[in-house]
Amino acid sequence: SGRGEWLEICNDFKFKTTGIEINKSFISILERKGLNVVNSDALEYLKTLPDCSFNLITCFHVIEHLSDSYLFELIKEIKRVIHLDGFVLIETPSIDNPLVSSKLFYQDFTHVNHINPDSFSFLLEYIGFQSANYYHINGGPLQNGQQFKLTRVFNGISQDICFLASPSKLEKSIQKTIL
């Protein structure tokens, strides 16, 4: 849940939301804002939920804080609780960006896991998501340049990666519509 910005946006659109936050300091801030939050470990909370109980699950800058084994278990639980026509949206720092990968990532001492976008997409599909794609976001002026050009590496690669996955093939059809 962090500071609750995403929960507030979702509430503005009248979505029924539940935030999960392990940091007790944030809980009181979020509750004062009138947000529905649960003070829990994400994996432990998800284990208490019934199958197919959410249409959208989001994780913004969470997975880089998790060990591989915890992340694997978390993704399995997310797959279990997401509705068949639902979506999972996950954002994490982009290791493709040399500055992020070599310096900025380590400014937060709780970062423990560089997420390889191809490997993570594979993991999502291995666990059972029918479609899993990633998108570079928050990039520089050459973000859409040729992938292996040095100018793109230093002037364009995004600071973050956004994964979009669905248990159904809906995500691929939506991607074609958007693009």
Side-chain angles (χ1 to χ4, degrees):
S1 297
R3 294 180 302 265
E5 296 99 337
W6 178 242
L7 287 173
E8 289 178 304
I9 290 169
C10 290
N11 283 345
D12 289 346
F13 282 97
K14 308 297 184 217
F15 295 141
K16 181 181 174 189
T17 62
T18 301
I20 306 170
E21 181 56 57
I22 198 165
N23 185 332
K24 288 182 181 180
S25 300
F26 281 133
I27 293 294
S28 60
I29 295 168
L30 298 168
E31 288 175 340
R32 282 195 304 269
K33 292 180 175 186
L35 300 172
N36 180 31
V37 292
V38 175
N39 183 211
S40 180
D41 172 83
L43 180 57
E44 295 307 312
Y45 181 70
L46 290 176
K47 287 180 179 180
T48 69
L49 300 173
D51 293 357
C52 301
S53 52
F54 281 87
N55 292 318
L56 175 66
I57 295 177
T58 60
C59 301
F60 295 104
H61 290 272
V62 172
I63 64 173
E64 66 272 13
H65 298 271
L66 308 176
S67 69
D68 288 335
S69 60
Y70 184 99
L71 179 57
F72 186 79
E73 293 302 314
L74 181 68
I75 297 302
K76 286 192 331 189
E77 281 302 305
I78 288 172
K79 168 65 173 69
R80 185 185 63 77
V81 302
I82 195 74
H83 190 274
L84 296 176
D85 290 333
F87 292 94
V88 176
L89 178 70
I90 299 172
E91 182 181 315
T92 191
S94 173
I95 66 164
D96 293 334
N97 182 307
L99 185 59
V100 170
S101 186
S102 66
K103 182 179 179 182
L104 298 177
F105 187 86
Y106 298 102
Q107 286 180 323
D108 184 336
F109 294 114
T110 64
H111 284 176
V112 296
N113 201 342
H114 280 87
I115 304 298
N116 179 295
D118 296 316
S119 298
F120 191 68
S121 290
F122 173 82
L123 174 66
L124 290 166
E125 290 181 352
Y126 175 79
I127 288 176
F129 287 93
Q130 293 298 309
S131 59
N133 292 294
Y134 64 87
Y135 306 90
H136 290 90
I137 59 173
N138 304 323
L142 299 177
Q143 178 174 331
N144 297 320
Q146 291 183 351
Q147 184 175 1
F148 298 108
K149 293 284 186 176
L150 195 55
T151 53
R152 179 177 178 263
V153 170
F154 291 109
N155 296 304
I157 297 190
S158 64
Q159 292 185 28
D160 298 304
I161 293 280
C162 178
F163 296 89
L164 184 60
S166 177
S168 71
K169 296 191 184 294
L170 278 177
E171 195 276 333
K172 288 185 180 178
S173 64
I174 287 174
Q175 177 188 356
K176 288 178 186 175
T177 303
I178 293 171
L179 300 177

